[in-house]
Amino acid sequence: MNRQQKFLTFTLFILTFVLGTSEFVIISLLSDVASELGISISTVGSLVSAFAISFAIGTPILTAIFSRFAKYPLMLTLIAIFVTGNILTALSETYVLLLVSRILTAVVTGVLIALAMAVASETMPAEKRGTAISIIFSGFTIASVIGVPLGTFIGQWGGWQMAFWFAALLGVISLLASAVTIPKGLKGSSSSLQKQIGLLTNTRIIIAFFIPALSIAATYTVYTYLTPLLQEVLFVPNQSISLVFLLYGIISIFSTLIGGKLAAHNGIGKLRYVYLMQAAILASLYVSSHTLLGGFISLSFMALVVYIMNSTMQLYFIDLADKHFPAARDLASSLTPVSVNVGIALGSALGGFITTNRELIDVSWVGAIVAIAASLLTFISYSLDRKAMSFHNHTLEDCQTRKSCN
């Protein structure tokens, strides 16, 4: 990458860092929000589901609609709306206003992630796409390492609203950096909405879509309720909660790095076994949580596998679009983050159901079952890929034998 491409990659990394901080910081403040608004933790937990559902529904539709616009002014406008959404969250004094502000922020967040991935894919050399996308995705990981713990500290120090004033400030910084760095010549696509949505009818795309969704759902069945797990099961002091989230985030950095390397070497094939490992790790928490050290070990391994699939799935969706739906490239760029947020919605809702109707620790083995489902889908997707490749090679050989290839 040349200097300009490196600056652009860093700017998009900053953007995903800001988006991740805003999305995830509320998870560590569930108890504070519930206490101040006088509602249950499971009700506040539904904000996580509402954010993810809004993200999942709004992102592909708005990405397809907005794809006709030039990316520079569109991204700046959306970042400004993102800042406004976080300010509204900080000013919220009722659950309804808090819900509305989070939905607004969610929809804008999804489109911005899709655009960031599309910009990287269009501007980076082919051999550097995986590296650039891995770095941009790592913004979410660094948000867990720095943004969420810092936001948690600010929220516990000055009230949970201060965490979202902090997110709004980060949004302003990202807006200024994007105004200087994002290329102004990136035009939109003139393809119709109908042609783009056709991408979503492809069987391979549909199957692949639910792979990261189930993997993230497995983790978020546990992660959404990590704060009460730490408090009520592992008996971690309240003042140490932000430190645990910090350590979790640091470990998850390695997950992103491993994922970048995995994407370059038959990533889909290897993910089949990664998800089986994930299932074993989540199930182990049910037993290991009897001791503080054992619980921390299970949580550490949970963090180590959480983001491994990101780069592989992002490139997989883009490559499928290039082959079958080139006009829907921007929409394809949105599918990994959309799938992830479908998984977050599913996992947080499933976790809420379990915490309401069973013991809190039961989220561990339920998450393990969901991870096994992710592995089964990956086996199916990998099998379809091999069949498609075999058919292509056989057709090419037959074509060359008859000397009738174009």
Side-chain angles (χ1 to χ4, degrees):
M1 288 186 282
N2 59 35
R3 186 176 182 182
Q4 183 178 1
Q5 290 167 337
K6 289 179 180 178
F7 277 126
L8 176 59
T9 301
F10 180 72
T11 297
L12 297 176
F13 160 82
I14 292 295
L15 175 60
T16 56
F17 168 81
V18 175
L19 298 175
T21 299
S22 174
E23 178 174 358
F24 301 135
V25 71
I26 196 169
I27 292 175
S28 60
L29 298 170
L30 289 182
S31 300
D32 300 273
V33 177
S35 177
E36 181 164 327
L37 296 183
I39 55 181
S40 67
I41 287 182
S42 60
T43 301
V44 180
S46 69
L47 290 172
V48 180
S49 297
F51 188 104
I53 291 170
S54 302
F55 186 116
I57 295 174
T59 297
I61 296 173
L62 292 180
T63 300
I65 293 173
F66 291 159
S67 66
R68 69 190 65 183
F69 299 109
K71 291 183 173 60
Y72 179 82
L74 176 59
M75 291 188 71
L76 296 189
T77 301
L78 293 175
I79 295 173
I81 296 174
F82 168 83
V83 172
T84 303
N86 280 278
I87 291 174
L88 287 176
T89 300
L91 294 174
S92 297
E93 295 182 353
T94 66
Y95 175 78
V96 173
L97 183 56
L98 185 58
L99 177 63
V100 170
S101 66
R102 293 302 286 166
I103 289 174
L104 173 64
T105 307
V107 173
V108 175
T109 295
V111 180
L112 280 170
I113 295 171
L115 290 171
M117 297 302 170
V119 168
S121 182
E122 291 179 28
T123 57
M124 300 298 161
E127 68 276 9
K128 297 294 183 182
R129 283 192 315 154
T131 300
I133 288 173
S134 177
I135 292 172
I136 295 167
F137 261 125
S138 71
F140 291 101
T141 310
I142 305 300
S144 298
V145 177
I146 300 176
V148 171
L150 184 56
T152 302
F153 173 78
I154 292 172
Q156 292 176 340
W157 169 71
W160 64 265
Q161 295 91 340
M162 286 296 294
F164 292 97
W165 284 112
F166 171 63
L169 175 61
L170 293 178
V172 172
I173 294 172
S174 177
L175 176 62
L176 296 175
S178 297
V180 174
T181 312
I182 294 176
K184 298 180 181 179
L186 297 176
K187 298 181 180 180
S189 169
S190 58
S191 175
S192 68
L193 179 61
Q194 183 178 0
K195 288 183 178 179
Q196 295 190 64
I197 296 299
L199 173 74
L200 304 180
T201 65
N202 183 275
T203 303
R204 302 261 300 279
I205 289 288
I206 293 172
I207 293 173
F209 179 85
F210 286 100
I211 292 174
L214 289 175
S215 172
I216 290 296
T219 294
Y220 268 76
T221 300
V222 177
Y223 185 73
T224 302
Y225 294 91
L226 182 56
T227 296
L229 273 170
L230 294 172
Q231 294 170 329
E232 300 173 25
V233 178
L234 294 178
F235 303 107
V236 176
N238 286 340
Q239 62 269 26
S240 300
I241 297 294
S242 59
L243 177 60
V244 174
F245 276 90
L246 173 63
L247 294 174
Y248 182 96
I250 290 174
I251 295 171
S252 66
I253 291 177
F254 294 96
S255 177
T256 303
L257 296 176
I258 294 170
K261 293 183 179 297
L262 200 72
H265 304 286
N266 187 28
I268 289 290
K270 293 175 181 174
L271 283 181
R272 297 174 295 169
Y273 305 106
V274 170
Y275 294 144
L276 291 177
M277 292 171 55
Q278 180 187 24
I281 291 165
L282 290 171
S284 73
L285 182 61
Y286 187 85
V287 177
S288 65
S289 61
H290 292 302
T291 66
L292 184 62
L293 178 60
F296 279 176
I297 291 174
S298 291
L299 291 174
S300 297
F301 279 106
M302 187 175 89
L304 191 62
V305 299
V306 63
Y307 296 128
I308 281 182
M309 52 76 188
N310 279 349
S311 296
T312 292
M313 296 310 303
Q314 184 67 27
L315 290 176
Y316 187 68
F317 285 127
I318 290 175
D319 289 342
L320 281 178
D322 283 340
K323 292 177 182 177
H324 306 291
F325 299 89
R329 189 182 180 89
D330 286 359
L331 179 57
S333 297
S334 76
L335 293 183
T336 298
V338 169
S339 176
V340 165
N341 277 271
V342 167
I344 291 173
L346 176 61
S348 59
L350 189 56
F353 176 81
I354 296 301
T355 56
T356 302
N357 296 281
R358 298 187 63 89
E359 297 295 325
L360 184 58
I361 192 58
D362 288 334
V363 294
S364 59
W365 61 263
V366 173
I369 293 173
V370 179
I372 291 172
S375 177
L376 291 175
L377 273 189
T378 312
F379 270 97
I380 293 172
S381 188
Y382 181 71
S383 177
L384 290 175
D385 287 344
R386 287 181 62 89
K387 287 180 179 178
M389 180 63 71
S390 176
F391 177 78
H392 172 76
N393 291 339
H394 180 74
T395 302
L396 184 60
E397 289 175 3
D398 185 59
C399 177
Q400 291 173 338
T401 300
R402 298 184 182 186
K403 297 182 179 181
S404 58
C405 297
N406 293 326

